[in-house]
Each structure stands twice: as structure tokens, then as C-alpha cells.
Amino acid sequence: MKVTGTALPFLPLYRRLLPSRLAGLSLALLKATALELAILAGHLLLYPSGITQERRTTPALPSPDTTQLPTETSPPVVLLHGFIDNRSVFVLLRRNLAQHGRHQVESLNYSPLTCDIRTAAELLGRHIEGICERTGSRQVDVVGHSLGGLIARYYVQRLGGDHRVRTLVTLGTPHSGTSVVPLANAHPIVRQMRPGSPILEELARPAPGCRTHFVSFWSDLDHLMDPLETACIDHPDLLAQNVRVSGVGHLALPVHPAVAAGIRQALDATRTRAATVAAADGMTVA
């Protein structure tokens, strides 16, 4: 997969003024920043539409006079947003998944006033149990953006959620803690995302027999991950695949079509195939 962009009109002059390697990096950063600003503007417009919880529906039972067609074999997908956000961030990803046959997709809003990852993880667990009860599915797949991925990982590792979550995909999640914006430490949940926090120490503990397959997308231009590699999962007991994304910022991860294609591939891959890919250098979205 490859993330590409249109050439900028001043590109020849830009390359003459800067060394080629520095110009390439600066141009990529400039393009990623412009994309982040555009996405932020669009997301601010959509934000009010995602404030309320989405309406839950129960799949209709087939009519006894109707020949029953094969049902969807893929488990439902649960989308979990990041810090001070809501389900509206997943509008494009949700549409992309539906266009490719994933029709059982639900989002969970947790309160922006949430101050503890453990509390949010318990809420996620109750939500997933409700989905399984309504749909008859034994497992779900989860896609978490930023803090949402950390909440889902805590549910899987520390609350026994690995029996419910088949695949957990994280997008720009600070698995090892991020040091960006020190002033944000005033918020308790931000402190839980700092390197060495008690929550992250819990996640670093042994997790033998964890059944969930993890796929972590991390970007080389993610301005909220410090260091960048903190968005990778590094745990000896977890079956994890880290996917590098080049030229895409933090806000663009749940929006970019190439990343959406990578998410679909991760959700559709069999456990055996995923383990084989993870044993190599993983996939790269460049």
C-alpha cells in the first residue's frame, strides 16, 4: 500500500533551496500538516453529530417463508475514539468498512470527563457483552484510535477481554507512553498515558495465553507520539504486528483510505497469516 499526494507548485524551487533529503522530509511534514489541518476543520464540523451515543439495533430475524442466505461470518467491529473526541471521527472508516462487506459496525462514546482508563475499559467490556448478546456473535473486532486503543488493550489484557476480542487494531496509540505536551498532565487520564505510569506498568506485566491478535499502526509524522515508536506494541506474550505509516499525521490515521485498506486487511487476515507477516518486518504504508 502506498500513501501518495499531489505535487505542490513550488516543489522545484523548494528542492533547490534545501538539501534533497531535508527537502523531502520537510515537504512530507508540510503536506502532512496541511492534511491534519484540513481533517481537523472537517472533524470540528462533524463533531456535534457524534456527541450522543449511536442508536443500537437488533438484527432482524429472517421470515420463515424466506430462504435464508449465508450470514456474515466476520464478527462485528467496535470503533473506539481517542481523548476528547467522539464517534464522528470514524465516519469515513465506517463507510469504507461497510462498502467492503462489514455491515455490523458500532461505535462507543465514553465521556470526555473520564479520568481513568480502567473505568473506560470496564464500560467497553459491558458494551461488547451487549453487542454479543444482540448479534449472537461470540467475538468482536475492535479498532481504537489513540487513547481508544489503550483502553481496548487494557480490557483485553487486564479484564479478560481476550476471549471476546478476536483482533485489536490500534491507530496512533501510546502503548509505551508519550511525553508530548507536558502541560496536559493536569488531566488524570493524560498522566496515565505518560511513560512509566501505573497503567502502562500493568500492561507491561506478563500476559501468557492472551488470545487476541494485535495490529498497531504507527506514523513517522505523528506529532502526538513522543517518541514515535511508542505507538508500537512490544510485549513478549502478545501476538502483535506493527505497521509503519509514512506521511500521515495523527488525525489522519482513522481517515486516510490507505490506512483503511490496511485495517481491512488486518481484520480479514487469518491468525496464521498474521503471525507469519509479523515475524518479518511487517507491512509499510509509505
Side-chain angles (χ1 to χ4, degrees), residues 1-155:
M1 291 175 293
K2 190 170 186 178
V3 176
T4 58
T6 57
L8 298 178
F10 53 84
L11 180 57
L13 175 62
Y14 191 80
R15 284 179 172 166
R16 285 199 299 270
L17 293 177
L18 291 174
S20 58
R21 187 172 179 181
L22 182 59
L25 176 62
S26 300
L27 178 61
L29 181 60
L30 179 64
K31 291 163 65 178
T33 302
L35 179 61
E36 289 282 279
L37 292 174
I39 291 172
L40 177 60
H43 187 40
L44 288 176
L45 292 175
L46 289 173
Y47 192 92
S49 67
I51 291 177
T52 59
Q53 292 284 8
E54 70 179 357
R55 196 174 171 186
R56 313 296 181 202
T57 59
T58 302
L61 295 175
S63 168
D65 300 328
T66 304
T67 302
Q68 188 172 0
L69 298 175
T71 56
E72 183 179 281
T73 57
S74 300
V77 179
V78 181
L79 306 176
L80 194 60
H81 63 79
F83 182 54
I84 314 180
D85 211 336
N86 62 38
R87 60 187 175 87
S88 63
V89 72
F90 292 117
V91 167
L92 295 181
L93 176 59
R94 187 174 194 144
R95 182 182 304 169
N96 189 291
L97 292 173
Q99 289 173 344
H100 291 83
R102 289 282 189 145
H103 301 295
Q104 292 186 22
V105 181
E106 294 196 15
S107 302
L108 170 65
N109 276 1
Y110 57 89
S111 171
L113 301 179
T114 300
C115 293
D116 187 14
I117 287 175
R118 302 176 187 89
T119 302
E122 292 172 357
L123 173 64
L124 174 62
R126 293 194 295 272
H127 180 70
I128 289 176
E129 290 299 323
I131 291 175
C132 291
E133 183 178 351
R134 282 186 284 106
T135 64
S137 297
R138 188 175 61 86
Q139 290 184 306
V140 301
D141 291 331
V142 179
V143 179
H145 179 225
S146 195
L147 172 61
L150 208 57
I151 292 170
R153 182 179 170 188
Y154 191 90
Y155 165 66

Side-chain angles (χ1 to χ4, degrees), residues 251-262:
L251 297 178
L253 285 169
V255 174
H256 203 287
V259 178

Side-chain angles (χ1 to χ4, degrees), residues 228-267:
L228 294 173
E229 292 77 7
T230 190
C232 296
I233 296 178
D234 183 14
H235 193 294
D237 294 331
L238 302 182
L239 176 60
Q241 176 185 358
N242 294 305
V243 183
R244 176 176 174 173
V245 181
S246 295
V248 173
H250 189 78
L251 297 178
L253 285 169
V255 174
H256 203 287
V259 178
I263 293 171
R264 296 197 317 269
Q265 181 179 345
L267 297 181

